[in-house]
Structure formats: structure tokens, C-alpha cells
Amino acid sequence: QVQLVESGGGLVQAGGSLSLSCAASGRTISNYRMGWFRQAPGKEREFVGSITWSGGETYYTDSVKGRFTCSRDNAKNTVYLQMNSLKPEDTAVYYCAAGVGITLKSVHYWGQGTQVTVSS
């Protein structure tokens, strides 16, 4: 079993920065690709970015490239999402995920979600 506990998030003005953390536990966590998804009100949950534990390969959706960065600390079993140059359209509940790919169907485990609100 894998557990994901998120922290961070909050309210920030447009152009500001926020950082999210996701502490992962479970014997098999290293087998998964770690990802971040978000869901805005009235919209479907969408992929944001992902990172692998080994090698740290990252992948991002186009709308956040150059602004968001995924990183990981293998010793702490923690992944991070650094969000810079935030825009009001980045407002959403952000979820940490562990899975085998970057699609919703590839996610095996979800975090509880954390709210990010960007004011204009």
C-alpha cells in the first residue's frame, strides 16, 4: 500500500510562487512515477507534471512548462512541485499521484489534494 500526504498550497497573487510537497510511504513507492494533477471547479482533473524516482526524468503539460518544476528527495521519499509566475488560471485543487504513466487511468494512488488559489 502507498500513502501520499501533501502539504503546501494556499493563496497567492498572480506572478507569485508556491511550493507543494508530497511525502510518500510504502514499500513499492520506488516502482512508481510520481505526478501532480489539478482540478479546477467545473473542470476535469488534468495532468500537470511528473518525475521518476530514479534518474529524476520530468515531464510537464504545455501550460506550465518553464513555470513549474518537479523535483524529488529520494532520502525523504518526498516530491515537490515548485510553481512560479502563477496565473489565476492555475487556481485548482492540486493532487499528488503515484502511477505508471501520466494519464488519469495510469494513477494507482492519490493524495488528499491541496488548494491553490491565485488572485488577479
Side-chain angles (χ1 to χ4, degrees):
Q1 189 74 354
V2 170
Q3 291 187 327
L4 305 174
V5 179
E6 301 167 19
S7 59
L11 173 65
V12 66
Q13 289 188 333
S17 299
L18 281 175
S19 180
L20 306 181
S21 300
C22 174
S25 62
R27 292 186 302 160
T28 61
I29 190 61
S30 62
N31 295 337
Y32 294 99
R33 171 180 286 270
M34 300 301 296
W36 292 93
F37 290 73
R38 66 186 180 186
Q39 188 167 17
K43 295 187 176 181
E44 294 185 351
R45 194 170 298 188
E46 64 174 359
F47 170 77
V48 175
S50 69
I51 188 168
T52 58
W53 289 110
S54 60
E57 290 88 2
T58 56
Y59 187 77
Y60 303 96
T61 192
D62 287 345
S63 62
V64 308
K65 284 180 181 177
R67 301 188 300 121
F68 289 13
T69 303
C70 295
S71 62
R72 92 283 192 214
D73 185 332
N74 290 45
K76 295 181 179 180
N77 276 0
T78 300
V79 296
Y80 306 92
L81 181 66
Q82 177 65 40
M83 304 181 290
N84 299 328
S85 302
L86 282 161
K87 305 175 181 180
E89 52 263 42
D90 294 317
T91 295
V93 177
Y94 282 70
Y95 296 89
C96 177
V100 296
I102 62 171
T103 64
L104 288 173
K105 291 183 178 180
S106 69
V107 174
H108 290 198
Y109 300 97
W110 292 100
Q112 79 279 10
T114 186
Q115 178 70 46
V116 171
T117 303
V118 184
S119 63
S120 57

